[in-house]
Amino acid sequence: MSTSSAELETGAADEAHERLLTGWGRTAPSRAEVVEPRTADDVAEALAGAGPRGALARGLGRSYGDAAQNAGGRVLAMSLLAAVREIDEEAGEATVDAGVSIEQLVQLLVPMGFFVPVTPGTWHVTVGGAIAADVHGKNHHRDGSFCDHVVWFELLTPAGERVRLARGDELFDATAGGMGLTGIVLSARLRLLRVESAYMTVDRERAGDLDDAMARMSARDDEYRYSVAWIDCLARGRSLGRSVLIRGDHAGADLAPAGRGNGALAVPGGTKLAAPPWTPPGLLRRSTVRIFNEAYYRSAPVSEIGRIEHMRPFFWPLDSVRNWNRIYGPSGFLQYQLVVPFGREDALRESLER
Ligand SMILES: Cc1cc2nc3c(=O)[nH]c(=O)nc-3n(C[C@H](O)[C@H](O)[C@H](O)COP(=O)(O)OP(=O)(O)OC[C@H]3O[C@@H](n4cnc5c(N)ncnc54)[C@H](O)[C@@H]3O)c2cc1C
């Protein structure tokens, strides 16, 4: 069966207007002419009309740095190009516009028994942004990254050509993780994951230091689809790298508290809490974060098996506070992420010691 849901299209396209843009870290603001296309033809027109600084796509601006700003040039804000074109329940695949968000997809798909194959730690991310950054989720060790589940996407090249690309095409591989520099992704066909409920079975355990955390993850990560460690980056000495390991899987319908039926598959939207519009600089300092970390570590269970939790706090805990990035104050914040190969775990220790 196929379902199309044009009702998911939102809003109207604005005229081009100049705006001050930042990434989610709110550092390095810069001005750009922002256009909000609503159709693929609008995108082509906006791209063709860009000046010498060219045009760059922007999703929901959840990149921490300046990846979606294009100072002095044109930015195509893609979130109005947001129709779900087709859901093929038999094949377990969906065709969506690039501006569709993970939030939109999850709320539509989970009640139908499907989930996105990979999600980052916020659901306020567009499919175009997920392809451009080839985002990873807590299931990276098992399922790879977002583009491993993209059957094809349609790209508008800088020359104005619309091409459909699949894995193996050179331009597909350059666009997956290409940060918007190969053109504008217009739409994509995604392979979905079948789920029986909107709930997770979650195991939590504390690890006393970095070696302990690494040993526990190496020993048992393969048993879980999802695995993540919260690390206390301020702990020192014998507690350096102390962590809370959080690992889980989708719960079967029989385990979901709402039982069989639609309750078990419901994903409520909305956010009750919001950060205040302005916070004083320095609210988050080492001493306050140390207190938070201590409390978080101590309140985590030493070991807890099979807790049933809704998927929202499991996958997207930070989304429970709207605009949480403001609490870092007006000058914003930087986030460091690193990937190290097996055998170079010492690099993690070194980075925690800094
Ligand atoms: C709380 C939080 C948690 C996060 N957790 C994770 C995580 O677990 N794993 C992970 O991998 N990332 C994570 N991220 C980062 C986020 O997933 C990526 O930065 C993602 O690219 C943001 O998508 P966006 O739609 O907001 O795109 P933007 O931030 O607006 O843009 C990101 C890049 O994508 C390009 N782009 C956007 N749309 C298109 C398009 N249609 N065509 C071509 N290029 C396009 C832009 O030019 C830019 O280079 C997290 C971010 C936050 C704020």
Side-chain angles (χ1 to χ4, degrees):
M1 186 191 117
S2 284
T3 315
S4 65
S5 53
E7 74 275 8
L8 285 173
E9 292 194 42
T10 50
D14 281 352
E15 292 301 309
H17 52 282
E18 204 177 273
R19 263 175 57 192
L20 193 63
L21 298 173
T22 68
W24 191 245
R26 299 175 74 220
T27 55
S30 63
R31 287 198 175 276
E33 182 199 23
V34 177
V35 182
E36 299 184 88
R38 204 173 36 176
T39 65
D41 287 344
D42 291 348
V43 178
E45 198 181 309
L47 183 64
R53 292 279 300 155
L56 184 69
R58 180 178 175 95
L60 287 167
R62 257 42 180 205
S63 288
Y64 285 97
D66 62 357
Q69 292 180 210
N70 197 22
R74 179 170 275 191
V75 165
L76 308 189
M78 298 294 289
S79 60
L80 296 185
L81 190 73
V84 174
R85 300 281 164 193
E86 188 200 6
I87 296 170
D88 183 336
E89 291 188 60
E90 230 163 80
E93 293 179 355
T95 304
V96 301
D97 285 350
V100 164
S101 69
I102 301 272
E103 172 186 20
Q104 219 179 313
L105 276 179
V106 165
Q107 291 196 328
L108 180 72
L109 292 174
V110 173
M112 299 172 78
F114 291 104
F115 190 59
V116 287
V118 167
T119 174
T122 171
W123 71 1
H124 300 297
V125 161
T126 62
V127 166
I131 290 172
D134 196 10
V135 297
H136 68 277
K138 296 175 173 67
N139 53 343
H140 194 239
H141 61 295
R142 180 110 155 219
D143 299 319
S145 51
F146 194 85
C147 291
D148 290 321
H149 307 272
V150 173
V151 182
W152 53 257
F153 56 72
E154 195 180 10
L155 186 76
L156 181 68
T157 68
E161 204 188 340
R162 279 169 74 156
V163 284
R164 183 180 285 197
L165 302 162
R167 189 163 282 294
D169 291 329
E170 212 179 2
L171 199 47
F172 180 106
D173 296 338
T175 304
M179 300 307 280
L181 299 179
T182 57
I184 316 280
V185 176
L186 296 172
S187 61
R189 182 139 179 113
L190 311 176
R191 224 170 274 125
L192 307 172
L193 180 71
R194 288 179 200 276
V195 292
E196 289 183 20
S197 81
Y199 288 82
M200 312 295 297
T201 55
V202 184
D203 294 353
R204 274 193 177 74
E205 59 191 295
R206 284 195 223 165
D209 60 29
L210 188 61
D211 287 340
D212 188 19
M214 301 292 281
R216 286 170 192 257
M217 291 181 95
S218 308
R220 296 205 35 224
D221 259 9
D222 289 350
E223 296 169 29
Y224 302 89
R225 182 179 285 272
Y226 302 102
S227 165
V228 67
W230 171 90
I231 302 180
D232 179 355
C233 294
L234 295 181
R236 291 289 178 271
R238 278 188 315 171
S239 300
L240 186 90
R242 69 178 176 177
S243 308
V244 179
L245 308 193
I246 306 161
R247 299 185 280 193
D249 282 284
H250 294 279
D254 52 328
L255 291 176
R260 269 186 193 282
N262 260 354
L265 289 161
V267 183
T271 311
K272 290 195 187 86
L273 297 173
W278 186 84
T279 47
L283 177 73
L284 280 189
R285 50 184 83 227
R286 217 162 242 271
S287 51
T288 47
V289 175
R290 186 168 282 127
I291 293 167
F292 172 86
N293 285 3
E294 183 70 32
Y296 185 86
Y297 183 75
R298 296 273 159 222
S299 64
V302 173
S303 173
E304 180 184 55
I305 307 286
R307 186 186 160 97
I308 304 295
E309 283 177 16
H310 195 269
M311 59 167 55
R312 272 194 72 176
F314 180 81
F315 286 113
W316 313 288
L318 290 167
D319 288 344
S320 60
V321 182
R322 204 166 40 249
N323 296 326
W324 60 263
N325 55 344
R326 289 186 191 148
I327 60 178
Y328 287 84
S331 47
F333 66 100
L334 296 174
Q335 180 169 118
Y336 293 93
Q337 302 198 354
L338 58 153
V339 178
V340 297
F342 288 114
R344 286 305 318 273
E345 291 78 5
D346 54 309
L348 291 179
R349 179 176 302 282
E350 212 181 302
S351 64
L352 284 170
E353 278 166 348
R354 290 207 174 159

